[in-house]
Amino acid sequence: MLLVTTIRRVDEEFFTMREEGYFSFTLHRKTHTSLSGFCSRRLLSASEWFIQNTLFLSLQKTCHAPIEYLSETLRVCHSKIAKEEIFYAMIIHHDQPVVFVTGGSRGIGKAVVEKFQSQSWRVAACATTEKGAQSSGADLALVCDVGDAAQVRSTISAILSKFGRLDAVINNAGLAGSDSLDPNSTNEQWHCVIRTNLDGPYFVSKYALPYLPDNTGRIINISSVLGLQGAQDATAYCSSKHGMVGLTRALAHEVAPRRITVNAICPGWVRTDMAINRIQELGLSEENLAKSVLLGRFIEPDEVADLAFYLVTSKAAAIMTGQTITIDGGALA
């Protein structure tokens, strides 16, 4: 039974009833209604029951029923509502699943956006600037610093307001770069990297989880092979990516009762702007690095995106959780 947790009287002709996080709707007395809200998969059976008992005709068409049907289904309690009054309602239900991709402006993130869109998913993506967000090509482009908890909460709310649901999260946003261990140096780089690479996935997962559907909800964390080994001049980056692996395993335990899965992808050298910039910083060459990989080449962003899509949608991946999947051309073999 769907419970209405808040009833707010707006005026004589307008009532708003809301189940926070799962089903939100508005009823106008004796008028057509535009439902502003959403229903997650976990409440689908309840919403179907509601549709049946309100003589729902078809998607985005008007239906009507005596208020007692609504009272029985939604446990509506309001002293001003007479049982004989007639209400009209419209339900808007979206069948397309929704994924949220952080760091969607370029590289792996942009490839993930394109992959999910090609498979008829609706995609929300964020970046730290408006220009970056728009360059993602996502259906909903948002500006968000994932290391800021308040911004993350607002972003999740914006996604739900736009699409009415959230089915999967791809925690991709990341920073790299050198960080000095010189006692006289600042700690700014350390804090920036940890904030984006570790605080970010934690905040996004934390605030998205209440809305992810049981059984089919998915969280994918884009870590790195440096989340499985160390490297010189990358203390903050290695620490953050190791932390993502630990976060993945811990979250998998937390959400297992809901049959939501959490997995990490650990790419090797991927042909992205961030990787190329890092190679130049280190004075290395792509050709020499490729020779250190068994298969002799870099990974392409769309290959990582294909793996992410597999972990979100495949039947086999439904039983995989708490895992770290390496895609590195054999670099760690």
Side-chain angles (χ1 to χ4, degrees), residues 192-235:
C192 284
V193 170
I194 296 296
R195 186 175 186 272
T196 299
N197 295 5
L198 189 53
D199 289 353
Y202 170 74
F203 290 145
V204 172
S205 300
K206 177 179 180 178
Y207 297 120
L209 270 171
Y211 309 105
L212 294 180
D214 291 354
N215 301 308
T216 57
R218 302 287 182 260
I219 296 175
I220 308 298
N221 294 323
I222 307 299
S223 181
S224 166
V225 291
L226 293 187
L228 302 172
Q229 66 176 21
Q232 188 176 358
D233 198 32
T235 307

Side-chain angles (χ1 to χ4, degrees), residues 97-259:
V98 176
V99 62
F100 175 35
V101 183
T102 69
S105 63
R106 57 182 184 170
I108 294 172
K110 187 173 178 64
V112 171
V113 170
E114 293 171 351
K115 176 64 179 182
F116 277 82
Q117 285 180 322
S118 73
Q119 301 299 314
S120 300
W121 282 60
R122 290 172 296 165
V123 182
C126 73
T128 55
T129 66
E130 182 65 34
K131 182 179 179 180
Q134 293 300 327
S135 70
S136 70
D139 302 290
L140 178 62
L142 300 158
V143 177
C144 178
D145 174 359
V146 295
D148 184 315
Q151 288 189 40
V152 171
R153 294 187 77 161
S154 296
T155 297
I156 297 295
S157 294
I159 294 169
L160 295 169
S161 295
K162 172 69 174 179
F163 298 125
R165 62 190 288 178
L166 180 58
D167 299 270
V169 167
I170 314 293
N171 284 310
N172 169 73
L175 290 177
S178 300
D179 52 285
S180 175
L181 292 178
D182 183 339
N184 297 315
S185 65
T186 70
N187 298 314
E188 182 178 358
Q189 178 71 3
W190 168 272
H191 290 300
C192 284
V193 170
I194 296 296
R195 186 175 186 272
T196 299
N197 295 5
L198 189 53
D199 289 353
Y202 170 74
F203 290 145
V204 172
S205 300
K206 177 179 180 178
Y207 297 120
L209 270 171
Y211 309 105
L212 294 180
D214 291 354
N215 301 308
T216 57
R218 302 287 182 260
I219 296 175
I220 308 298
N221 294 323
I222 307 299
S223 181
S224 166
V225 291
L226 293 187
L228 302 172
Q229 66 176 21
Q232 188 176 358
D233 198 32
T235 307
Y237 188 77
C238 286
S239 299
S240 68
K241 294 301 185 177
H242 275 75
M244 284 185 77
V245 171
L247 176 65
T248 299
R249 291 170 176 165
L251 277 177
H253 283 268
E254 291 282 350
V255 300
R258 292 176 56 192
R259 297 297 186 265

Side-chain angles (χ1 to χ4, degrees), residues 2-74:
L2 187 63
L3 296 179
V4 176
T5 57
T6 305
I7 301 178
R8 179 168 58 90
R9 181 70 182 269
V10 179
D11 57 43
E12 261 184 46
E13 302 296 318
F14 188 64
F15 301 88
T16 299
M17 283 148 273
R18 180 179 180 85
E19 162 124 348
E20 188 67 36
Y22 297 111
F23 195 85
S24 168
F25 54 92
T26 304
L27 295 176
H28 295 261
R29 180 181 299 155
K30 296 181 180 178
T31 63
H32 291 81
T33 298
S34 174
L35 284 189
S36 59
F38 49 91
C39 171
S40 76
R41 289 183 192 170
R42 67 186 306 194
L43 290 178
L44 190 57
S45 60
S47 67
E48 287 175 339
W49 198 79
F50 168 70
I51 291 170
Q52 280 187 336
N53 285 277
T54 53
L55 310 179
F56 185 66
L57 300 179
S58 62
L59 186 65
Q60 298 187 12
K61 294 289 182 67
T62 304
C63 67
H64 60 86
I67 188 61
E68 54 260 35
Y69 284 119
L70 299 176
S71 296
E72 290 171 6
T73 309
L74 304 173

